[in-house]
């Protein structure tokens, strides 16, 4: 199964060089200071940082009020000196920023989890972005996480990812879209849900009981969002078990019901290792080899 060549390709973004300016933006929830500064230290060894976080006190479960977070994100997107934007952490709050946000598409946007809302909005505009670690992950992740992030941002070839289980036969090719299952389903019916026709759909989640995963999958299915999907790539489903029922197994069984290539157990998302993958770039999902390979990168 291959991506419909009649659909427009997703535009690449410019690659970074060592010493470029990267904006750190608190787009979602408040970050723990020690985790944040540890991640900042990892980034600062390679890039110049523009800190646009922590300018005002948190507001309950948000890092700052909407207008402050939106203004910080807009500044990062508009500033020509900023070559990439990376979120401090996930949590909740990005979807609240999308109305009124002027999306400039000439630089990488990096993050995952709640950042799925921003990734999806960019996918609606045909632009690639990077599903990768947030700043608070970098200080406590193994070195391979930061190394792959830097490779992705700087245009180095990305090694294929190995899964642990597969369903279906053969391969699926198309742009890699999606992200966090919970966030993605909340975008159904909004202007920010991208077309998934011909795509390899990436899904991952954390802290959702198996029946909730089933409910969200059923929502995608009955809303027609899975029609024409070429393949399903499943990342981590952390803390999604309920007794003897395991969230990753439920997600895999649901995906397998489509009868298309499925690979699960990929090191993407909320697990101990969150490896960067370019959204919008063409990939090959191989159910026989249980691999996700990258035919394109984030940049041209």
């Amino acid at each position: 199964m291959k991506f419909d060549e009649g659909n427009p390709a997703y535009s690449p973004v410019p690659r970074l060089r060592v010493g470029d300016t990267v904006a750190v933006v608190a787009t979602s929830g408040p970050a723990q200071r020690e985790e944040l500064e540890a991640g900042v230290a990892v980034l600062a060894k390679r890039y110049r940082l523009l800190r646009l976080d922590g300018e005002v006190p948190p507001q309950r479960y948000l890092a700052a009020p909407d207008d402050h977070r939106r203004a910080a994100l807009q500044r990062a997107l508009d500033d020509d000196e900023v070559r990439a934007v990376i979120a401090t952490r996930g949590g909740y709050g990005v979807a609240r920023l999308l109305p009124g946000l002027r999306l400039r598409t000439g630089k990488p946007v990096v993050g995952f989890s709640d950042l799925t809302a921003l990734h999806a909005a960019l996918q609606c505009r045909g632009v690639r972005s990077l599903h990768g670690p947030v700043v608070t992950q970098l200080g406590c992740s193994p070195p391979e996480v930061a190394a792959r992030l830097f490779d992705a941002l700087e245009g180095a070839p990305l090694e294929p990812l190995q899964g642990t289980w597969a369903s279906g036969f053969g391969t699926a090719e198309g742009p890699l879209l999606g992200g966090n299952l919970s966030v993605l389903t909340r975008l159904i019916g909004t202007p920010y849900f991208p077309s998934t026709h011909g795509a390899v759909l990436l899904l991952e989640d954390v802290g959702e009981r198996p029946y909730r995963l089933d409910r969200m999958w059923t929502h995608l299915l009955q809303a027609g969002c899975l029609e024409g999907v070429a393949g399903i790539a499943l990342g981590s489903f952390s803390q999604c078990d309920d007794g003897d029922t395991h969230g990753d197994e439920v997600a895999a069984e649901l995906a397998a019901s489509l009868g298309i290539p499925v690979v699960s157990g990929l090191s993407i998302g909320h697990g101990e290792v969150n490896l960067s993958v370019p959204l919008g770039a063409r990939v090959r999902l191989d159910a026989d080899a249980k691999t996700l390979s990258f035919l394109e990168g984030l940049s041209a």
Side-chain angles (χ1 to χ4, degrees), residues 24-217:
V24 174
V25 184
T27 57
S28 305
Q32 293 292 328
R33 181 55 53 181
E34 288 188 6
E35 294 178 349
L36 178 60
E37 296 307 324
V40 163
V42 173
L43 288 172
K45 293 178 181 178
R46 199 165 189 92
Y47 307 118
R48 176 179 176 270
L49 300 185
L50 173 63
R51 299 287 296 271
L52 298 177
D53 61 295
E55 296 178 341
V56 298
Q59 185 182 58
R60 296 178 179 165
Y61 42 80
L62 300 171
D66 291 352
D67 56 346
H68 286 271
R69 289 180 295 115
R70 185 183 291 109
L73 179 55
Q74 193 69 65
R75 177 183 170 188
L77 293 173
D78 290 347
D79 189 339
D80 291 336
E81 294 298 317
V82 172
R83 299 298 304 279
V85 180
I86 182 168
T88 58
R89 61 154 290 185
Y92 170 70
V94 168
R96 296 171 59 131
L97 307 182
L98 296 180
L101 188 67
R102 302 184 308 278
L103 284 177
R104 292 188 62 184
T105 55
K107 62 190 68 175
V109 173
V110 185
F112 81 116
S113 192
D114 192 49
L115 261 289
T116 295
L118 185 53
H119 288 313
L122 290 169
Q123 289 159 26
C124 288
R125 288 157 176 78
V127 179
R128 300 179 200 177
S129 57
L130 193 65
H131 187 286
V134 291
V135 180
T136 53
Q137 280 189 316
L138 288 173
C140 59
S141 294
E144 64 185 294
V145 172
R148 188 176 175 99
L149 170 64
F150 300 150
D151 282 347
L153 289 173
E154 296 168 21
L158 296 179
E159 291 295 320
L161 299 186
Q162 183 69 49
T164 58
W165 182 88
S167 174
F169 301 96
T171 63
E173 291 185 13
L176 184 68
L177 305 183
N180 182 264
L181 175 60
S182 300
V183 176
L184 194 64
T185 55
R186 300 314 192 272
L187 299 176
I188 294 173
T190 75
Y192 311 111
F193 193 97
S195 170
T196 56
H197 183 80
V200 173
L201 185 62
L202 168 66
L203 299 172
E204 64 84 33
D205 220 319
V206 62
E208 298 289 352
R209 295 170 68 180
Y211 79 88
R212 293 176 181 167
L213 298 176
D214 190 320
R215 181 167 61 195
M216 290 183 282
W217 173 270

